[in-house]
Amino acid sequence: MKMRAAVLEEFGKPLSVQEVDLEEPRAGEVLVRLEACGVCHTDLYTASGADPSGYAPAVLGHEGAGVVEAVGEDVGSLSPGDHVVTLFSPQCRECVHCLDPRTNLCLAIREEQGKGHLPDGTSRLSRDGEPIRHFMGTSTFAEYTVMPEIALARIDPEAPLDRACLFACGLSTGLGAAMYTAKVAQGSTCVVFGAGMVGLGAVAGCALQGAGRIICVDLSEGRLEMAREQGATDLLEADENTVERILEMTGGFGADYTFEATGLVGVMQQAVESARMGWGLCTIAGVAGKGETLDIIPRWLITGRRVAGSSFGGVKGRDQVPELIDRYMAGEINVDPFLSHELTLDEVNRGFELMEAQDGIRSVIHFN
Ligand SMILES: NC(=O)c1ccc[n+]([C@@H]2O[C@H](COP(=O)([O-])OP(=O)(O)OC[C@H]3O[C@@H](n4cnc5c(N)ncnc54)[C@H](O)[C@@H]3O)[C@@H](O)[C@H]2O)c1
Ligand SMILES: [Zn+2]
Ligand SMILES: [Zn+2]
Protein backbone atom coordinates (compact mmCIF):
# COMPACT_ATOMS: atom_id res chain seq x y z
CA MET A 1 0.00 0.00 0.00
CA LYS A 2 0.92 3.66 -0.43
CA MET A 3 1.08 5.93 2.62
CA ARG A 4 2.59 9.18 3.79
CA ALA A 5 5.59 9.07 6.10
CA ALA A 6 8.34 11.35 7.44
CA VAL A 7 11.62 10.06 6.01
CA LEU A 8 15.07 10.84 7.34
CA GLU A 9 16.95 11.23 4.06
CA GLU A 10 20.09 12.92 5.27
CA PHE A 11 21.42 13.59 8.78
CA GLY A 12 21.14 17.18 9.91
CA LYS A 13 18.43 17.97 7.33
CA PRO A 14 14.69 18.34 7.97
CA LEU A 15 12.64 15.14 7.61
CA SER A 16 10.91 14.84 4.25
CA VAL A 17 7.20 13.97 4.35
CA GLN A 18 6.39 11.94 1.25
CA GLU A 19 4.57 8.93 -0.17
CA VAL A 20 6.25 5.56 0.45
CA ASP A 21 5.28 1.90 0.02
CA LEU A 22 4.41 -0.37 2.93
CA GLU A 23 4.17 -4.14 2.43
CA GLU A 24 1.61 -6.40 4.07
CA PRO A 25 2.46 -7.86 7.47
CA ARG A 26 4.24 -11.23 7.30
CA ALA A 27 4.12 -14.03 9.90
CA GLY A 28 4.15 -12.66 13.45
CA GLU A 29 3.61 -9.10 12.21
CA VAL A 30 0.76 -6.63 12.51
CA LEU A 31 -0.40 -3.67 10.40
CA VAL A 32 -1.32 -0.68 12.59
CA ARG A 33 -3.09 2.50 11.46
CA LEU A 34 -1.55 5.25 13.56
CA GLU A 35 -3.78 7.81 15.23
CA ALA A 36 -1.20 9.77 17.23
CA CYS A 37 2.56 9.93 17.80
CA GLY A 38 4.67 11.97 20.20
CA VAL A 39 7.88 13.69 19.10
CA CYS A 40 10.77 12.59 21.37
CA HIS A 41 14.43 13.53 21.84
CA THR A 42 15.59 10.21 20.43
CA ASP A 43 14.00 11.04 17.07
CA LEU A 44 15.80 14.37 16.99
CA TYR A 45 19.06 12.78 18.21
CA THR A 46 18.99 10.36 15.28
CA ALA A 47 17.85 12.96 12.75
CA SER A 48 20.69 15.28 13.76
CA GLY A 49 23.32 12.62 13.04
CA ALA A 50 24.66 12.73 16.61
CA ASP A 51 23.76 9.07 17.17
CA PRO A 52 26.62 7.02 15.73
CA SER A 53 24.36 4.00 15.26
CA GLY A 54 21.81 5.97 13.21
CA TYR A 55 21.03 5.11 9.58
CA ALA A 56 19.22 6.63 6.60
CA PRO A 57 16.93 6.54 4.74
CA ALA A 58 14.58 5.58 7.55
CA VAL A 59 11.09 6.45 8.75
CA LEU A 60 11.52 7.89 12.26
CA GLY A 61 9.06 7.99 15.17
CA HIS A 62 8.56 5.70 18.15
CA GLU A 63 5.86 7.17 20.44
CA GLY A 64 2.90 5.78 18.53
CA ALA A 65 -0.64 4.70 19.28
CA GLY A 66 -3.20 3.40 16.83
CA VAL A 67 -5.61 0.70 15.74
CA VAL A 68 -4.80 -2.76 14.35
CA GLU A 69 -5.85 -2.97 10.68
CA ALA A 70 -4.65 -6.47 9.78
CA VAL A 71 -2.55 -9.27 11.22
CA GLY A 72 -0.13 -11.67 9.54
CA GLU A 73 0.01 -15.44 9.99
CA ASP A 74 0.56 -16.86 13.47
CA VAL A 75 -0.52 -13.70 15.26
CA GLY A 76 -2.55 -14.87 18.22
CA SER A 77 -2.73 -12.00 20.68
CA LEU A 78 -4.09 -9.19 18.48
CA SER A 79 -7.00 -8.77 16.06
CA PRO A 80 -8.20 -6.00 13.75
CA GLY A 81 -9.81 -3.20 15.74
CA ASP A 82 -7.60 -3.60 18.82
CA HIS A 83 -6.11 -0.37 20.15
CA VAL A 84 -2.35 -0.54 20.64
CA VAL A 85 0.68 1.40 21.88
CA THR A 86 3.94 0.78 20.01
CA LEU A 87 6.91 -0.59 21.98
CA PHE A 88 10.50 0.12 21.00
CA SER A 89 11.25 -2.22 23.91
CA PRO A 90 9.35 -5.43 23.05
CA GLN A 91 8.27 -8.28 25.30
CA CYS A 92 8.37 -11.76 23.73
CA ARG A 93 7.41 -13.44 27.04
CA GLU A 94 9.75 -16.34 26.20
CA CYS A 95 13.40 -15.24 26.37
CA VAL A 96 15.49 -15.56 29.53
CA HIS A 97 15.05 -11.86 30.27
CA CYS A 98 11.31 -11.82 29.68
CA LEU A 99 10.99 -14.77 32.07
CA ASP A 100 12.96 -12.94 34.78
CA PRO A 101 11.21 -10.28 36.84
CA ARG A 102 14.47 -8.32 37.24
CA THR A 103 14.65 -6.87 33.73
CA ASN A 104 12.54 -5.67 30.80
CA LEU A 105 15.34 -5.97 28.23
CA CYS A 106 13.80 -8.57 25.91
CA LEU A 107 16.42 -10.36 23.83
CA ALA A 108 14.17 -11.59 21.03
CA ILE A 109 14.72 -9.08 18.22
CA ARG A 110 17.46 -6.73 19.41
CA GLU A 111 19.95 -7.31 16.65
CA GLU A 112 17.71 -6.89 13.62
CA GLN A 113 15.87 -3.99 15.29
CA GLY A 114 19.19 -2.22 15.77
CA LYS A 115 19.90 -2.57 12.04
CA GLY A 116 16.54 -1.08 11.07
CA HIS A 117 14.97 -4.38 10.06
CA LEU A 118 11.95 -6.34 11.16
CA PRO A 119 12.83 -9.61 12.94
CA ASP A 120 13.19 -11.62 9.68
CA GLY A 121 16.01 -9.29 8.57
CA THR A 122 14.04 -7.38 5.92
CA SER A 123 12.10 -4.12 5.66
CA ARG A 124 8.42 -3.59 4.79
CA LEU A 125 9.14 0.03 3.82
CA SER A 126 10.35 1.07 0.39
CA ARG A 127 10.25 3.74 -2.29
CA ASP A 128 10.55 2.94 -6.01
CA GLY A 129 11.61 -0.58 -5.02
CA GLU A 130 14.51 0.67 -2.83
CA PRO A 131 14.17 -0.40 0.81
CA ILE A 132 13.80 2.20 3.56
CA ARG A 133 14.74 1.14 7.08
CA HIS A 134 12.52 0.95 10.15
CA PHE A 135 13.54 3.07 13.16
CA MET A 136 13.55 1.52 16.66
CA GLY A 137 11.35 -1.23 15.26
CA THR A 138 8.47 1.26 15.24
CA SER A 139 8.63 3.94 12.44
CA THR A 140 5.55 5.75 13.69
CA PHE A 141 5.95 9.09 11.89
CA ALA A 142 3.70 7.51 9.27
CA GLU A 143 0.04 6.84 8.59
CA TYR A 144 0.62 3.11 9.03
CA THR A 145 3.32 0.83 10.37
CA VAL A 146 4.07 -2.89 10.27
CA MET A 147 5.49 -4.16 13.55
CA PRO A 148 6.14 -7.45 15.32
CA GLU A 149 3.25 -8.64 17.47
CA ILE A 150 5.63 -8.79 20.47
CA ALA A 151 6.21 -5.02 20.21
CA LEU A 152 2.58 -3.93 20.54
CA ALA A 153 0.71 -3.43 23.81
CA ARG A 154 -3.07 -3.86 23.59
CA ILE A 155 -4.76 -1.14 25.63
CA ASP A 156 -8.23 -0.10 26.81
CA PRO A 157 -10.07 0.99 23.64
CA GLU A 158 -11.65 3.83 25.61
CA ALA A 159 -8.26 5.49 26.23
CA PRO A 160 -7.72 8.57 24.01
CA LEU A 161 -4.90 7.62 21.67
CA ASP A 162 -3.27 11.08 21.72
CA ARG A 163 -2.71 10.57 25.45
CA ALA A 164 -1.95 6.86 25.22
CA CYS A 165 0.94 7.48 22.81
CA LEU A 166 2.92 9.23 25.56
CA PHE A 167 3.08 5.88 27.35
CA ALA A 168 5.11 4.52 24.41
CA CYS A 169 8.29 6.19 25.69
CA GLY A 170 8.91 9.20 27.95
CA LEU A 171 6.01 8.99 30.37
CA SER A 172 6.33 5.25 31.00
CA THR A 173 10.10 5.69 31.36
CA GLY A 174 9.62 8.16 34.21
CA LEU A 175 6.72 6.37 35.88
CA GLY A 176 8.49 3.03 35.60
CA ALA A 177 11.81 4.32 36.96
CA ALA A 178 10.00 5.07 40.22
CA MET A 179 7.55 2.15 40.22
CA TYR A 180 9.51 -0.76 38.70
CA THR A 181 13.22 0.06 38.81
CA ALA A 182 13.48 1.84 42.18
CA LYS A 183 10.21 0.47 43.62
CA VAL A 184 9.88 3.58 45.79
CA ALA A 185 8.64 2.67 49.27
CA GLN A 186 5.71 4.46 50.88
CA GLY A 187 6.61 7.48 52.97
CA SER A 188 10.12 7.85 51.55
CA THR A 189 11.93 10.98 50.39
CA CYS A 190 12.69 11.26 46.65
CA VAL A 191 14.60 13.73 44.50
CA VAL A 192 13.97 14.00 40.75
CA PHE A 193 16.54 15.85 38.62
CA GLY A 194 14.97 17.20 35.43
CA ALA A 195 11.32 18.05 34.84
CA GLY A 196 10.89 17.11 31.18
CA MET A 197 8.61 14.26 30.12
CA VAL A 198 10.76 11.65 31.87
CA GLY A 199 11.34 13.60 35.10
CA LEU A 200 7.69 14.63 35.41
CA GLY A 201 6.76 10.98 34.89
CA ALA A 202 9.16 10.04 37.69
CA VAL A 203 7.55 12.62 39.99
CA ALA A 204 4.14 11.13 39.18
CA GLY A 205 5.51 7.62 39.76
CA CYS A 206 6.93 8.58 43.17
CA ALA A 207 3.54 10.07 44.09
CA LEU A 208 1.72 6.90 42.98
CA GLN A 209 4.07 4.87 45.18
CA GLY A 210 3.08 7.03 48.17
CA ALA A 211 6.36 8.89 48.65
CA GLY A 212 6.26 11.26 51.62
CA ARG A 213 8.36 13.97 50.08
CA ILE A 214 9.23 14.61 46.43
CA ILE A 215 11.86 17.25 45.66
CA CYS A 216 12.10 18.22 41.99
CA VAL A 217 15.11 20.05 40.54
CA ASP A 218 15.14 21.87 37.19
CA LEU A 219 16.42 25.08 35.62
CA SER A 220 12.98 26.18 34.48
CA GLU A 221 10.45 27.68 36.87
CA GLY A 222 7.59 26.78 34.54
CA ARG A 223 8.58 23.14 34.45
CA LEU A 224 8.96 23.08 38.23
CA GLU A 225 5.36 24.32 38.50
CA MET A 226 4.34 21.37 36.34
CA ALA A 227 6.20 19.09 38.74
CA ARG A 228 4.13 20.48 41.60
CA GLU A 229 0.98 19.54 39.65
CA GLN A 230 2.32 15.98 39.44
CA GLY A 231 2.90 15.72 43.18
CA ALA A 232 6.27 17.36 43.90
CA THR A 233 6.31 18.78 47.44
CA ASP A 234 9.52 20.84 47.12
CA LEU A 235 10.85 22.69 44.07
CA LEU A 236 14.50 23.58 43.56
CA GLU A 237 15.96 25.74 40.82
CA ALA A 238 19.23 24.04 39.92
CA ASP A 239 22.52 25.81 40.68
CA GLU A 240 26.05 24.87 41.69
CA ASN A 241 24.90 24.20 45.29
CA THR A 242 22.08 21.81 44.42
CA VAL A 243 23.59 18.84 46.30
CA GLU A 244 24.28 20.86 49.47
CA ARG A 245 20.78 22.26 49.43
CA ILE A 246 19.32 18.77 49.13
CA LEU A 247 21.49 17.52 52.00
CA GLU A 248 20.30 20.46 54.10
CA MET A 249 16.69 19.65 53.31
CA THR A 250 17.17 16.02 54.36
CA GLY A 251 18.86 16.35 57.74
CA GLY A 252 22.32 16.11 56.21
CA PHE A 253 21.78 12.60 54.85
CA GLY A 254 20.29 12.84 51.38
CA ALA A 255 17.22 11.15 49.90
CA ASP A 256 16.07 7.54 49.97
CA TYR A 257 15.66 7.62 46.19
CA THR A 258 17.08 9.95 43.56
CA PHE A 259 16.27 10.00 39.84
CA GLU A 260 18.27 11.53 37.01
CA ALA A 261 16.26 12.58 33.94
CA THR A 262 18.43 15.13 32.13
CA GLY A 263 21.01 13.06 30.24
CA LEU A 264 23.81 15.22 31.66
CA VAL A 265 26.65 13.33 33.36
CA GLY A 266 27.27 16.21 35.78
CA VAL A 267 23.67 15.92 36.96
CA MET A 268 24.01 12.13 37.21
CA GLN A 269 26.88 12.74 39.62
CA GLN A 270 24.70 15.10 41.67
CA ALA A 271 21.98 12.45 41.75
CA VAL A 272 24.44 9.90 43.16
CA GLU A 273 25.73 12.37 45.76
CA SER A 274 22.20 13.32 46.82
CA ALA A 275 21.31 9.72 47.63
CA ARG A 276 21.26 8.81 51.29
CA MET A 277 24.17 7.17 53.01
CA GLY A 278 23.29 3.62 54.05
CA TRP A 279 20.62 2.78 51.47
CA GLY A 280 20.01 5.64 49.01
CA LEU A 281 19.27 4.38 45.51
CA CYS A 282 20.09 6.56 42.50
CA THR A 283 18.22 5.61 39.32
CA ILE A 284 19.61 6.95 36.05
CA ALA A 285 17.15 7.33 33.16
CA GLY A 286 18.89 10.03 31.10
CA VAL A 287 20.88 9.06 28.02
CA ALA A 288 24.35 10.61 28.04
CA GLY A 289 26.25 11.63 24.91
CA LYS A 290 28.40 9.05 23.13
CA GLY A 291 31.68 8.48 24.96
CA GLU A 292 30.78 10.43 28.10
CA THR A 293 31.51 8.79 31.44
CA LEU A 294 30.10 9.16 34.93
CA ASP A 295 32.54 9.96 37.76
CA ILE A 296 31.71 8.42 41.13
CA ILE A 297 34.00 8.53 44.16
CA PRO A 298 33.98 4.89 45.38
CA ARG A 299 33.46 6.02 48.97
CA TRP A 300 29.95 7.12 47.97
CA LEU A 301 29.22 3.48 47.20
CA ILE A 302 31.07 1.87 50.13
CA THR A 303 28.94 3.97 52.43
CA GLY A 304 25.81 2.35 51.14
CA ARG A 305 24.58 4.25 48.12
CA ARG A 306 23.52 2.23 45.09
CA VAL A 307 23.18 3.17 41.43
CA ALA A 308 20.75 1.63 38.94
CA GLY A 309 20.11 2.31 35.28
CA SER A 310 16.64 2.16 33.83
CA SER A 311 15.70 1.59 30.21
CA PHE A 312 12.06 2.31 29.43
CA GLY A 313 11.55 2.52 33.19
CA GLY A 314 11.99 -1.22 33.56
CA VAL A 315 8.49 -1.52 32.09
CA LYS A 316 7.62 -4.91 30.58
CA GLY A 317 5.67 -3.29 27.78
CA ARG A 318 2.89 -5.71 26.83
CA ASP A 319 2.01 -6.45 30.45
CA GLN A 320 2.60 -3.12 32.12
CA VAL A 321 1.82 -0.35 29.59
CA PRO A 322 -1.86 -1.47 29.62
CA GLU A 323 -1.76 -1.40 33.44
CA LEU A 324 -0.35 2.13 33.47
CA ILE A 325 -3.03 3.24 30.98
CA ASP A 326 -5.69 1.69 33.23
CA ARG A 327 -4.39 3.80 36.10
CA TYR A 328 -4.54 6.86 33.85
CA MET A 329 -8.13 5.99 32.92
CA ALA A 330 -8.92 5.57 36.63
CA GLY A 331 -7.82 9.18 37.15
CA GLU A 332 -4.57 8.36 38.98
CA ILE A 333 -2.22 9.85 36.36
CA ASN A 334 -2.75 13.39 35.04
CA VAL A 335 -1.59 13.19 31.41
CA ASP A 336 -3.28 16.27 29.88
CA PRO A 337 -0.67 18.85 31.00
CA PHE A 338 2.06 16.98 29.03
CA LEU A 339 0.31 17.52 25.69
CA SER A 340 1.62 20.92 24.64
CA HIS A 341 1.16 21.10 20.86
CA GLU A 342 -0.94 19.24 18.31
CA LEU A 343 0.70 18.89 14.90
CA THR A 344 -0.02 17.30 11.55
CA LEU A 345 2.48 14.89 10.02
CA ASP A 346 3.56 17.67 7.62
CA GLU A 347 4.56 19.74 10.67
CA VAL A 348 6.88 17.10 12.12
CA ASN A 349 9.96 19.32 11.79
CA ARG A 350 8.13 22.01 13.76
CA GLY A 351 7.92 19.39 16.54
CA PHE A 352 11.73 19.26 16.56
CA GLU A 353 11.97 23.07 16.67
CA LEU A 354 9.54 23.27 19.60
CA MET A 355 11.57 20.62 21.44
CA GLU A 356 14.83 22.46 20.87
CA ALA A 357 13.22 25.66 22.18
CA GLN A 358 11.92 23.69 25.22
CA ASP A 359 8.47 24.95 24.26
CA GLY A 360 6.10 22.58 26.05
CA ILE A 361 6.64 19.01 27.18
CA ARG A 362 5.38 17.02 24.19
CA SER A 363 4.19 17.78 20.68
CA VAL A 364 1.84 15.10 19.41
CA ILE A 365 1.22 14.40 15.73
CA HIS A 366 -2.38 13.58 14.82
CA PHE A 367 -3.01 11.50 11.69
CA ASN A 368 -6.32 11.56 9.88
N1 LIG B 1 16.02 5.45 29.69
C1 LIG B 1 15.17 5.52 28.68
O1 LIG B 1 14.64 4.52 28.24
C2 LIG B 1 14.81 6.86 28.14
C3 LIG B 1 13.62 7.05 27.43
C4 LIG B 1 13.31 8.35 26.98
C5 LIG B 1 14.17 9.40 27.23
N2 LIG B 1 15.34 9.18 27.91
C6 LIG B 1 16.29 10.24 28.23
O2 LIG B 1 15.84 10.91 29.39
C7 LIG B 1 16.35 12.24 29.40
C8 LIG B 1 15.22 13.22 29.66
O3 LIG B 1 14.29 13.19 28.60
P1 LIG B 1 13.14 14.30 28.51
O4 LIG B 1 12.31 14.00 27.32
O5 LIG B 1 12.46 14.42 29.82
O6 LIG B 1 14.07 15.60 28.24
P2 LIG B 1 13.83 17.15 28.43
O7 LIG B 1 14.92 17.83 27.70
O8 LIG B 1 12.42 17.51 28.11
O9 LIG B 1 14.02 17.38 29.99
C9 LIG B 1 15.27 17.54 30.60
C10 LIG B 1 15.11 18.56 31.72
O10 LIG B 1 16.34 18.66 32.44
C11 LIG B 1 16.47 19.98 32.89
N3 LIG B 1 17.85 20.28 33.27
C12 LIG B 1 18.88 20.69 32.50
N4 LIG B 1 19.98 20.90 33.24
C13 LIG B 1 19.63 20.62 34.52
C14 LIG B 1 20.33 20.66 35.75
N5 LIG B 1 21.61 21.02 35.81
N6 LIG B 1 19.68 20.28 36.87
C15 LIG B 1 18.38 19.91 36.82
N7 LIG B 1 17.66 19.87 35.68
C16 LIG B 1 18.28 20.22 34.54
C17 LIG B 1 15.96 20.80 31.71
O11 LIG B 1 15.58 22.11 32.13
C18 LIG B 1 14.76 19.98 31.24
O12 LIG B 1 13.54 20.39 31.84
C19 LIG B 1 17.05 12.41 28.06
O13 LIG B 1 18.43 12.16 28.25
C20 LIG B 1 16.44 11.33 27.21
O14 LIG B 1 17.29 10.92 26.16
C21 LIG B 1 15.65 7.95 28.38
ZN1 LIG C 1 11.51 8.38 23.15
ZN1 LIG D 1 11.84 -11.55 25.45
Side-chain angles (χ1 to χ4, degrees):
M1 65 186 284
K2 299 273 184 204
M3 64 158 186
R4 285 168 59 72
V7 182
L8 168 66
E9 300 275 10
E10 214 180 314
F11 297 116
K13 295 272 166 67
L15 302 185
S16 148
V17 179
Q18 55 186 271
E19 198 173 81
V20 302
D21 293 298
L22 182 67
E23 261 183 63
E24 307 259 289
R26 296 186 189 170
E29 297 172 0
V30 176
L31 173 68
V32 177
R33 176 174 53 79
L34 290 156
E35 287 264 345
C37 180
V39 180
C40 171
H41 288 274
T42 312
D43 300 303
L44 177 61
Y45 183 56
T46 297
S48 71
D51 179 2
S53 58
Y55 39 75
V59 173
L60 298 189
H62 63 284
E63 276 195 7
V67 181
V68 172
E69 281 277 306
V71 298
E73 267 173 59
D74 308 326
V75 170
S77 69
L78 290 169
S79 337
D82 284 344
H83 287 212
V84 290
V85 162
T86 63
L87 302 170
F88 66 86
S89 181
Q91 184 190 356
C92 76
R93 296 184 172 143
E94 286 170 1
C95 75
V96 59
H97 281 184
C98 279
L99 294 174
D100 195 303
R102 291 173 295 186
T103 182
N104 64 334
L105 297 177
C106 175
L107 299 170
I109 59 175
R110 285 178 89 77
E111 223 166 279
E112 291 301 336
Q113 181 175 328
K115 290 186 210 155
H117 299 146
L118 290 186
D120 74 350
T122 63
S123 174
R124 300 295 155 272
L125 291 160
S126 64
R127 178 179 49 198
D128 306 325
E130 287 299 314
I132 297 176
R133 286 202 260 181
H134 297 250
F135 173 67
M136 290 176 87
T138 50
S139 287
T140 49
F141 286 165
E143 292 173 316
Y144 294 85
T145 184
V146 170
M147 289 183 54
E149 173 186 21
I150 62 167
L152 290 166
R154 188 176 65 216
I155 61 161
D156 178 355
E158 299 291 318
L161 290 165
D162 59 349
R163 270 64 175 173
C165 71
L166 302 184
F167 289 86
C169 178
L171 179 52
S172 293
T173 297
L175 288 165
M179 297 167 69
Y180 307 124
T181 303
K183 302 184 180 74
V184 166
Q186 198 160 11
S188 48
T189 296
C190 303
V191 183
V192 177
F193 290 85
M197 183 72 272
V198 175
L200 291 169
V203 169
C206 292
L208 282 174
Q209 293 290 107
R213 194 164 179 205
I214 306 168
I215 303 167
C216 187
V217 188
D218 200 286
L219 300 170
S220 148
E221 227 175 296
R223 288 191 165 201
L224 286 173
E225 277 311 317
M226 295 190 73
R228 191 196 298 284
E229 256 183 3
Q230 296 296 327
T233 55
D234 300 80
L235 309 177
L236 268 192
E237 273 188 56
D239 62 26
E240 62 280 7
N241 299 319
T242 300
V243 174
E244 283 142 56
R245 287 157 70 207
I246 290 168
L247 293 180
E248 257 167 47
M249 293 167 82
T250 53
F253 281 114
D256 301 311
Y257 302 91
T258 64
F259 297 89
E260 184 283 327
T262 69
L264 304 169
V265 291
V267 177
M268 294 178 187
Q269 196 172 1
Q270 294 180 335
V272 173
E273 296 179 2
S274 305
R276 196 192 193 287
M277 162 190 185
W279 60 72
L281 174 63
C282 169
T283 300
I284 293 185
V287 177
K290 177 81 183 166
E292 289 184 313
T293 59
L294 168 57
D295 243 345
I296 302 176
I297 300 171
R299 194 173 54 81
W300 289 101
L301 304 178
I302 305 271
T303 46
R305 294 168 193 83
R306 294 169 300 146
V307 183
S310 183
S311 169
F312 192 45
V315 173
K316 287 186 184 274
R318 288 162 81 197
D319 294 340
Q320 290 170 328
V321 164
E323 291 172 11
L324 291 174
I325 287 183
D326 288 346
R327 295 190 77 167
Y328 155 58
M329 292 300 282
E332 294 181 63
I333 304 171
N334 182 11
V335 177
D336 289 0
F338 303 138
L339 242 118
S340 322
H341 302 277
E342 288 183 17
L343 305 175
T344 63
L345 179 60
D346 288 292
E347 295 170 317
V348 60
N349 294 301
R350 167 119 181 91
F352 287 157
E353 286 163 22
L354 289 165
M355 196 157 58
E356 283 184 303
Q358 277 210 5
D359 182 335
I361 298 299
R362 271 296 188 268
S363 298
V364 172
I365 296 171
H366 287 245
F367 303 90
N368 30 50

